[in-house]
Amino acid sequence: MALGEEATKAGALLDTAGPAPSASGARLNLAAGELATVDGPFAESKEVISYAIYEVGSKEEAVEWASRFLRVHRDLWPEWEGEVEVLKLFGPEDSRPRPDHRGGGDPGDHR
């Protein structure tokens, strides 16, 4: 925790969120002018070109924004093809205390 606080105060650490497993996401693909949506899980990408973080109320709302993004690209550049992955970021509501697998004591104590 101390390193995270120090990095935040120094302005180096901007965010500690990360994507949830792809099973809760969706992949959108634009090819030959057709838009297709597939629910996760899917094989993880090895490369992320760019990303955008939206605060939305549901996966469906996120998919709608992603669809709009792809439609704009299709309309402006008819030959353009691309793919969007919709992933949830882990937040405080996703955190649970880890159980102590040794039957007692402090989970951080490795004596």
Side-chain angles (χ1 to χ4, degrees):
M1 275 305 219
L3 178 60
E5 291 171 354
E6 180 182 336
T8 300
K9 286 179 184 174
L13 181 61
L14 302 177
D15 189 78
T16 59
S22 67
S24 63
R27 178 175 283 156
L28 289 82
N29 191 310
L30 176 64
E34 296 295 318
L35 181 64
T37 304
V38 177
D39 285 331
F42 38 82
E44 299 301 325
S45 297
K46 300 214 182 269
E47 184 175 328
V48 175
I49 303 301
S50 64
Y51 70 91
I53 298 175
Y54 285 80
E55 185 173 355
V56 296
S58 68
K59 177 179 159 184
E60 293 74 21
E61 188 179 352
V63 167
E64 176 57 30
W65 280 108
S67 296
R68 290 174 66 182
F69 170 83
L70 288 175
R71 285 187 198 109
V72 165
H73 282 70
R74 177 190 60 199
D75 294 347
L76 293 175
W77 303 284
E79 301 301 316
W80 185 88
E81 294 187 352
E83 186 170 80
V84 172
E85 291 184 6
V86 175
L87 299 172
K88 179 187 183 303
L89 292 179
F90 281 124
E93 69 279 5
D94 299 307
S95 298
R96 285 184 262 138
R98 292 185 176 192
D100 180 8
H101 297 289
R102 292 175 287 129
D106 177 3
D109 184 5
H110 298 288
R111 286 185 269 163

